[in-house]
Amino acid sequence: MNTFISNVVNEVIKNHENYANLVFVLPSQRACIFLKEELIAKLPKSSFLPKIISIENYIQELADLNLIDNTQLLFEFYDVYKEFFPKENRESFEAFSQWATIALHDFNEIDSYLINSNAIFSSLKDIKQLDKWFQNQKPSQLAINYLNFFGSLDVLYNALSEKLKSNKYGYQGLIYKEATNNLEFYIQTNLNKHIFYVGFNALNKAEEYIFQEMLNNNIATVYWDANETFFHKSNEAGVFLRKYKNEWNYYKSNPFLWTQTIEKNNQKTHIIGAPKNITQIKYVGELLSKFDNFNKTALVLADENLLTLTLNSLPNKVKNINITMGYPLNDIPLANLFEKLFKLYLNQQKFNKESEEQFYYKDVLNLLNDPFLNKFEDELLQVLIEKIKNENSIFLSANALKKYISTEEQDKLQLLFSLFIIPTNVNLIIEQCIYLINKLKTFVEGVEKEYLYRFYAVFQQLKTLNLKYQHISDLKTLIHFFNQLLKNEKLSFQGEPLQGLQLMGMLETRVLDFETVIITSVNEGILPAGKNEFSFMPFDVKKHFKLPTYQEKDAIFSYHFQRLLQRAKNVYLIYNTETDGYGAGEKSRFLTKLEIQNPNIIKSIISPKIQSSKEVVFQVEKTPEVLQKLKEVFSKGISPSALATYIYNPISFYEQKILGIKEQDEVEETIAMNTMGSVIHDVLEALYKPYINVFLTKEHIVNMEKQTNGLLGRFFQKHYLNGNIQTGKNKLIFEVCKNHIQRFLKQELQLLKNHQLKIKALEESLTTELIVEGINFPIKIKGIVDRIDELDGVIRIIDYKTGKVEAKNLKLTNFSVIAEDYKYTKALQVMLYSYMYSKNLTNKNINLQSGIISFKNLNSGFLKMNFSENSRGKDYEVTLERINEFMVEVNQLFIEILNPEIPFTENKNLPF
């Protein structure tokens, strides 16, 4: 393949003999590696290799300044800011960092384009003064502060520049500016050398000045990577090249290298639309799996956020891969550990628990469940988690956690317990994080050690900077700054840059050529990026001072896009067919232009393959072991609620009764419905217990009303361990329970005006055995009835429900439906209580009723079993004949459950 780099090397070798005095300057470090490889292959073995350097390092040499790290630059900037603003008007480091990064970006552009800072900041202030904020005769203090901020930018800019230069440091723009100042000296000391600027396109003003001066002094040559289409006025990709060719004095008498015609007759271009990012990347994986050789293949991610997804989607046959992009630190699993740790500390402050040294239980559980912490003593951590859930503590201290385990076990978890001691000094918190990383490194292997090292470097940098500058003074600022670092810092990949698949970002493709090019996310807003401006400078100010706007940035990406495709033989351009819902995100205009220019482009729309599969109903066969367990369950005693579970879902019955699986305990921060029910049941039992076998009077009920509050508090303490019922939702639930009981007692008072009521039993345990034909062992039925009373000679079997029950749930004329529909399980329950109660009676000739009192439907009173066949009829008597009819159906249910031929089958139509 005849690449741009090979063309340049051939030309240089043809025109020069002394290679030691040659210097190659390229846009990126990656391009330097490819050029070096080409030179090694083509230069005589006895010759010295020319100097090869990236533009970034080359400019630093010219300026004699070192590039400052972005994090350190922010700290230095805040130092300067503090010098010019008195303490009372000074923002915190956290607030400062949010606008300082934008200001530094503007400073960088001002220097790179050699703009007079005083002129541009003066114009900016004047424009802000014309804003509507200042149209009133007397602007507000906020408006004045806003204007003063823009007035101070020039002062801050000059002070920061001087401070950095005095320490031999600079941000990129400042280095460019100083390089132009030192250029005359550099030219005089390098007259014996010849410099080749290779593959550049959009130059800032400083680069333009440097290139032109070097060309005018005949010690440089510039090779532009272009073809004749870039010089058509309609092509935005050639905006910069046309400008340099037409405006630079050097090119008025010298040729413009390198303009050439590239034949594209053999190029196969595919434009593929795919819904969503996942489909794009999965398609790329399928595409690569068809390739035999990846050495001249580039996979370009226009949206670099898809790196993680891409790495997980590459086919196994891709053995060698070179990744130019870094892996964002906030995507690394280890970031979650520190996020959980900082949230633990932050919420302690939020809930004002510092003095008690207590932490919110959710934060504690999140930390204990972290996979990195579970790499050591994971069993002990799980024991702690279970204890926390059982004790139902909303706030926990380290001492409380230690009580859950033995002294020997506490020693094993010293590292964990050290995390629950928050140092008062921010530097000590950073030290604590470094200590945690050092302890974890012995428990991890492979890439996880690399993760730890990268985070170790981040915390060491924070420690060094804060010891020097002392800008991070509180936990909130530390967390904010740490999160900013994670977004900007990346874990670099190491690989062989000249072999295998090249996985790249768009800017890394500069100067390089590939036979096969795959580009993903070729959508508006990504390629090109659109109008996202990260600047304090309005568009018109930028245009006036010739600073780059989104228009220039679009032209840059247009050049990169067209240049990358110009020599490729196979091109696959993939875009997301799904818009973002606001009309944006459509196919890139770059693709539309290609389609117009080349009618032979192969276009297609793809979609994921949907595999149809038959829905399989889950079944469990009744093996001899299962049948033996069933026999034990039914011999020991089966409850109405267990039968209701079977009707709801046989698999749930199997899990609970055969496998013994229970729902995992959770910390009950808000009172659950079952807790609320238990409390109401216990309160009513305690209120009525002194009056068993006594005819109730008005005085009895009045006395009960007086005891309600105290009993509610007592039983909430019993069922809601360590819970707070004084505030929030729990206070409301407490009041709801109180309201339920008070309304119930008022109903009882109304009942006593015209009726006689005697409590016969409370929370009565009922049991009975029965023989079912076809089952070779006696079945035991058991249950606890909430209340049995006698109203005017009628025995009532009553079950309390805190949920809503309606009369229609207890109207039953045909008992055959009771085992088929879950809505009749309330009727099943009270009828089974009636059966058990009647079996224990010597006198069978009693008037019996059974039903439910629903606290969410108290206005309906006692909801009775109704056997009337008329829609509005009433027939409440539970006779022995009806009980026997009912038990015929229950016996059939027993036979079904114990039948070895009928498996437990999952109910696919669950009501809830």
Side-chain angles (χ1 to χ4, degrees), residues 505-750:
M506 200 67 196
L507 290 178
E508 288 295 329
T509 64
R510 289 173 293 183
V511 184
L512 307 181
D513 293 302
F514 302 93
E515 285 187 0
T516 301
V517 174
I518 304 168
I519 310 179
T520 64
S521 304
V522 190
N523 288 78
E524 285 295 311
I526 300 173
L527 192 67
K531 298 182 181 181
N532 300 321
E533 291 290 345
F534 188 66
S535 174
F536 286 128
M537 306 289 175
F539 179 82
D540 49 354
V541 171
K542 286 196 164 193
K543 286 301 266 186
H544 176 74
F545 286 96
K546 298 182 179 178
L547 284 171
T549 65
Y550 68 88
Q551 293 172 333
E552 283 73 26
K553 289 170 186 174
D554 284 0
I556 291 169
F557 277 98
S558 180
Y559 170 82
H560 291 321
F561 179 76
Q562 293 184 38
R563 192 217 63 79
L564 179 61
L565 304 190
Q566 66 183 351
R567 296 182 185 89
K569 292 181 180 178
N570 299 295
V571 176
Y572 299 88
L573 305 171
I574 308 168
Y575 67 95
N576 184 358
T577 58
E578 304 297 304
T579 63
D580 64 2
Y582 295 96
E586 70 270 13
K587 179 170 68 174
S588 172
R589 62 178 182 268
F590 294 171
L591 297 184
T592 306
K593 184 178 179 181
L594 275 179
E595 290 173 7
I596 295 168
Q597 291 173 341
N598 184 0
N600 297 320
I601 284 176
I602 304 163
K603 293 181 282 187
S604 58
I605 300 291
I606 62 167
S607 59
K609 294 175 184 176
I610 300 173
Q611 295 180 343
S612 60
S613 58
K614 290 183 180 179
E615 189 176 13
V616 179
V617 178
F618 180 53
Q619 290 186 334
V620 177
E621 299 296 330
K622 290 172 185 169
T623 63
E625 292 80 9
V626 171
L627 290 169
Q628 179 59 36
K629 184 65 179 177
L630 279 171
K631 182 178 178 181
E632 292 172 13
V633 169
F634 278 83
S635 300
K636 189 177 179 181
I638 191 83
S639 66
S641 60
L643 292 176
T645 300
Y646 179 83
I647 294 167
Y648 177 70
N649 188 2
I651 293 298
S652 298
F653 177 87
Y654 167 75
E655 290 171 346
Q656 291 176 21
K657 295 299 176 183
I658 309 304
L659 301 181
I661 297 173
K662 296 179 180 178
E663 286 190 16
Q664 188 179 22
D665 287 334
E666 297 291 342
V667 175
E668 195 178 331
E669 187 176 2
T670 300
I671 296 165
M673 282 299 294
N674 59 343
T675 303
M676 181 178 166
S678 299
V679 169
I680 290 175
H681 278 68
D682 284 0
V683 170
L684 291 177
E685 182 188 4
L687 289 173
Y688 281 93
K689 203 167 188 178
Y691 308 108
I692 290 177
N693 290 320
V694 174
F695 283 103
L696 291 178
T697 65
K698 178 183 175 182
E699 287 73 23
H700 294 150
I701 303 300
V702 171
N703 189 40
M704 290 181 196
E705 287 176 331
K706 292 176 182 176
Q707 299 177 56
T708 301
N709 268 11
L711 288 170
L712 269 172
R714 181 176 126 203
F715 287 112
F716 264 116
Q717 185 64 33
K718 173 187 173 184
H719 292 287
Y720 185 51
L721 294 175
N722 304 313
N724 172 29
I725 58 171
Q726 306 303 319
T727 57
K729 290 182 181 178
N730 290 343
K731 174 65 174 173
L732 295 175
I733 292 169
F734 178 89
E735 293 298 327
V736 167
C737 292
K738 181 178 171 182
N739 180 262
H740 281 340
I741 293 167
Q742 287 174 344
R743 287 174 61 213
F744 176 72
L745 292 176
K746 284 177 182 176
Q747 278 191 354
E748 295 281 80
L749 271 176
Q750 289 296 113

Side-chain angles (χ1 to χ4, degrees), residues 121-151:
F121 285 124
S122 176
S123 297
L124 179 62
K125 185 179 178 181
D126 290 343
I127 286 173
K128 295 299 178 184
Q129 199 157 8
L130 291 172
D131 280 354
K132 59 185 178 182
W133 286 32
F134 303 96
Q135 289 175 5
N136 298 327
Q137 288 184 347
K138 193 173 181 181
S140 67
Q141 187 59 46
L142 177 65
I144 292 168
N145 292 341
Y146 178 74
L147 186 63
N148 289 341
F149 165 75
F150 287 102

Side-chain angles (χ1 to χ4, degrees), residues 56-74:
E56 187 178 86
N57 293 331
Y58 175 70
I59 296 298
Q60 287 181 54
E61 281 188 12
L62 262 66
D64 194 25
L65 292 177
N66 294 314
L67 184 65
I68 191 169
D69 176 80
N70 286 334
T71 308
Q72 187 177 352
L73 176 61
L74 201 58

Side-chain angles (χ1 to χ4, degrees), residues 361 365 385-392 662-668 674:
Y361 82 96
L365 291 176
I385 289 167
E386 286 304 311
K387 289 284 187 182
I388 290 169
K389 290 177 179 178
N390 291 338
E391 291 296 320
N392 205 61
K662 296 179 180 178
E663 286 190 16
Q664 188 179 22
D665 287 334
E666 297 291 342
V667 175
E668 195 178 331
N674 59 343

Side-chain angles (χ1 to χ4, degrees), residues 465-507:
L465 289 172
N466 208 43
L467 285 173
K468 179 180 178 181
Y469 297 97
Q470 295 294 329
H471 294 336
I472 302 175
S473 56
D474 57 65
L475 177 64
K476 194 175 178 184
T477 306
L478 172 65
I479 294 170
H480 170 80
F481 202 72
F482 176 73
N483 289 334
Q484 270 195 337
L485 274 178
L486 292 196
K487 288 176 184 175
N488 298 322
E489 296 291 322
K490 295 184 177 180
L491 177 71
S492 298
F493 291 96
Q494 292 182 351
E496 173 50 58
L498 301 166
Q499 289 184 8
L501 177 69
Q502 301 290 319
L503 181 52
M504 327 176 81
M506 200 67 196
L507 290 178

Side-chain angles (χ1 to χ4, degrees), residues 15 35 45 66 107 118 308 311 356 441 493 502 504 516 591 593 699 763 820 882:
N15 296 326
L35 179 71
K45 301 296 181 186
N66 294 314
F107 293 173
N118 185 47
T308 308
L311 293 176
E356 303 164 49
K441 70 181 180 184
F493 291 96
Q502 301 290 319
M504 327 176 81
T516 301
L591 297 184
K593 184 178 179 181
E699 287 73 23
E763 300 296 325
E820 298 172 3
R882 283 170 175 160

